[in-house]
Amino acid sequence: MAQIAFPFQVFVKPAGNRCHLSCDYCYYAGYKGPYLEIRHQHMAPELLERYIQQHIAAHPGPVVPFSWHGGEPTLLGVDFFRTVVALQKKYGPSGIRITNGIQTNGTLIDHDWCTFLKKHHFTVGISLDGPAEIHDHYRKTVHGNSTFEQVMRGYFLLQRYHIPVDILCVVNDLNVMYPLQVYQFFREIRAAYIGFLPLVEPGEPGGETVSVRSVGAEELGAFLCLIFDQWQTHDIGKIRIQIFEEAASTAFGLDHALCIFRETCGEIPMIEHNGDVYSCDHFFKPENKLGNLMQASLAELIASSGQMRFGAGKKASLPLQCRKCTVLNMCNGGCPKDRLLTSSDGRKLNYLCDGYTLFFNHCKPFVKELSTRSAR
C-alpha cells in the first residue's frame, strides 16, 4: 500500500453528525445534505478496520496521529474506542507510535471513560466558550437548557485522572466582548492549553456578510491582544495558547502547526461515518468530496490531483494585499473558508484580515525578541 510523503492528519467522524446537544452555531445545523437522513449513524466495523489499517500504512510516521471528531463521538460508547485501540495495535508495526485525540462536548465523560482514556493515553479536546452565562448563550441542550455544569463535571473529572485536556473556545459576537473575563475563567479552572476558534458564518451565499453570531474582525484582534498581554505578563510557561504558539513559531523558522496559517492546505482531510472523504472539515460540499474508502484507498485520495489542487489553491488565490502584508508569514491569508471579502485586485480576502493584522502586529515585538534570543 502506498505511503504519503508528508505527515497528514484526518478528522474522522465515526458518529457523523449525531449529537445530543443543540448548539446554535453548529455547522451541521444548517446542513441539508444526505447524511441527515440516516438515523443512529455510526462507522461500520469493516469500514473502521479498513480506515485504521490504511491510515497507519499511508502515514510516514514515526508518530501516527488519529483525531476523532463529530457530531459527538462519545455517543458511540467506550466499547467502540476499545475496538479502535485493538485495531491500531493489530495494524501498527513496531517502531511507530500511535496517538489518539478526541474532540467532545464533555457532557458524557464519566469514570469509565476516564479510565479508558487514561489507560490508552488519549488527549481530549473540550468545547468551552467561557463562564456559565457566556458558554450557555449558544451551547445548549436540545431543550434549550444549560450545558455548563455537565461540561464542567466532565472537565474536572478528566483533570482528576490527569488526562491532557485542550480547551476549544469558539470566539463569537458575545464572548469577544469579554476577553479578560473569559481568560480569567480559564486561568481559574487551570486550563493548560487553549485554542481560540473564530466563528465566521457566511450570510447570503456568495455575499460578503456574516451572521449576527459571527465575531467581528477588529473585535477578534482586540480580544487576542488583550489576552496576549495578560498571558505575556503572567502565564508564559504556564498556559499554552494555540495562536500565540503559531505566532512564536515564526521566530524559529518553523512551519505552522495550525493549518489555517500554513501556506497551503490539503493535509487534513475529513472522513464521514460512511467512508466519504472530503478535502477538509470546513469544505463539506459535494465538489470537495474526494471519494469513498470502500472504493479507493486513503493514500490514493490524499495524493489525488483534486486534493493537490485544493491544497495549492490557497496560496495561488492569495490577494495582492496579502502578498504585500507585513505579517504574511504569520497568517498566510488565513483559512480559505473565511475569504468572503473582495480585495482591490478582485480576489477573495479573509473576513478576519483586519483582526489578524492587528493581533500579529501587536505581538511582533515579542516574536522579534524570541528570534533574537534564538540567534545568540
Side-chain angles (χ1 to χ4, degrees):
M1 188 175 295
Q3 189 177 76
I4 302 298
F6 52 84
F8 63 86
Q9 185 179 3
V10 178
F11 282 3
V12 192
K13 304 196 172 187
N17 70 321
R18 284 176 59 195
C19 188
H20 57 299
L21 302 187
S22 184
C23 302
D24 292 341
Y25 56 61
C26 176
Y27 62 73
Y28 274 118
Y31 176 70
K32 306 297 182 184
Y35 306 113
L36 298 185
E37 300 172 2
I38 305 172
R39 296 186 177 183
H40 308 299
Q41 298 176 25
H42 66 278
M43 186 172 279
E46 61 272 19
L47 176 59
L48 178 66
E49 182 164 6
R50 182 182 180 90
Y51 161 62
I52 290 175
Q53 180 184 16
Q54 292 188 3
H55 185 128
I56 293 172
H59 202 281
V63 179
V64 180
F66 283 81
S67 302
W68 307 96
H69 287 245
E72 178 47 51
T74 61
L75 285 171
L76 296 176
V78 178
D79 284 343
F80 177 88
F81 287 94
R82 290 192 177 104
T83 300
V84 165
V85 171
L87 290 170
Q88 290 171 340
K89 290 180 179 178
K90 177 180 178 180
Y91 291 108
S94 60
I96 72 161
R97 181 168 66 91
I98 293 175
T99 64
N100 286 282
I102 185 169
Q103 183 65 38
T104 174
N105 58 47
T107 61
L108 299 180
I109 297 296
D110 57 16
H111 288 282
D112 193 24
W113 268 110
C114 287
T115 300
F116 168 80
L117 296 169
K118 178 68 173 179
K119 178 180 178 181
H120 297 289
H121 311 289
F122 273 59
T123 59
V124 180
I126 291 279
S127 298
L128 184 60
D129 291 350
E133 63 276 12
I134 291 177
H135 174 86
D136 285 336
H137 188 71
Y138 288 130
R139 300 191 61 83
K140 305 167 185 173
T141 69
V142 293
H143 301 294
N145 297 323
S146 168
T147 62
F148 181 78
E149 289 189 6
Q150 295 170 279
V151 175
M152 295 310 299
R153 182 173 62 245
Y155 173 78
F156 287 131
L157 195 58
L158 290 165
Q159 282 192 327
R160 282 176 55 188
Y161 277 79
H162 303 288
I163 295 168
V165 180
D166 301 345
I167 289 177
L168 178 62
C169 175
V170 176
V171 186
N172 52 63
D173 68 311
L174 177 62
N175 59 6
V176 75
M177 306 307 295
Y178 304 96
L180 299 185
Q181 293 91 323
V182 169
Y183 185 55
Q184 181 58 29
F185 166 73
F186 289 146
R187 294 175 72 190
E188 289 172 354
I189 64 171
R190 296 182 290 114
Y193 186 90
I194 307 167
F196 290 116
L197 177 65
L199 177 63
V200 179
E201 296 176 319
E204 294 296 324
E208 298 188 359
T209 61
V210 296
S211 71
V212 295
R213 291 188 292 260
S214 297
V215 65
E218 292 185 2
E219 287 83 358
L220 174 68
F223 175 92
L224 293 172
C225 288
L226 284 168
I227 293 178
F228 179 84
D229 290 344
Q230 288 290 308
W231 172 82
Q232 186 179 12
T233 302
H234 303 289
D235 298 318
I236 292 178
K238 299 177 183 177
I239 300 176
R240 297 173 59 198
I241 298 180
Q242 188 178 47
I243 192 170
F244 300 172
E245 292 191 342
E246 293 298 319
S249 69
T250 62
F252 307 103
L254 301 174
D255 289 336
H256 285 289
L258 186 59
C259 63
I260 65 172
F261 296 135
R262 295 176 188 166
E263 281 192 325
T264 59
C265 294
E267 297 172 4
I268 311 181
M270 182 270 279
I271 300 178
E272 259 291 347
H273 72 286
N274 67 344
D276 285 345
V277 182
Y278 290 83
S279 293
C280 172
D281 186 30
H282 295 302
F283 286 83
F284 189 38
K285 303 174 184 178
E287 59 266 32
N288 296 115
K289 180 179 172 180
L290 300 172
N292 187 283
L293 285 184
M294 299 307 291
Q295 282 81 48
S297 73
L298 181 62
E300 290 172 334
L301 296 175
I302 293 177
S304 67
S305 58
Q307 185 67 346
M308 294 300 103
R309 284 194 302 272
F310 172 83
K314 176 181 179 179
K315 183 177 181 179
S317 62
L318 203 63
L320 182 62
Q321 177 178 332
C322 293
R323 298 174 190 271
K324 293 182 176 181
C325 183
T326 58
V327 294
L328 174 61
N329 67 324
M330 293 180 168
C331 174
N332 285 304
C335 183
K337 81 173 180 65
D338 296 330
R339 293 183 182 178
L340 306 177
L341 308 180
T342 302
S343 66
S344 59
D345 63 354
R347 297 190 176 193
K348 287 298 184 179
L349 177 70
N350 197 303
Y351 164 80
L352 298 171
C353 177
D354 288 345
Y356 284 145
T357 302
L358 175 64
F359 167 68
F360 286 126
N361 275 314
H362 181 78
C363 67
K364 257 190 168 183
F366 172 77
V367 174
K368 184 177 180 179
E369 175 63 21
L370 288 180
S371 181
T372 301
R373 291 180 186 176
S374 67
R376 291 173 182 168

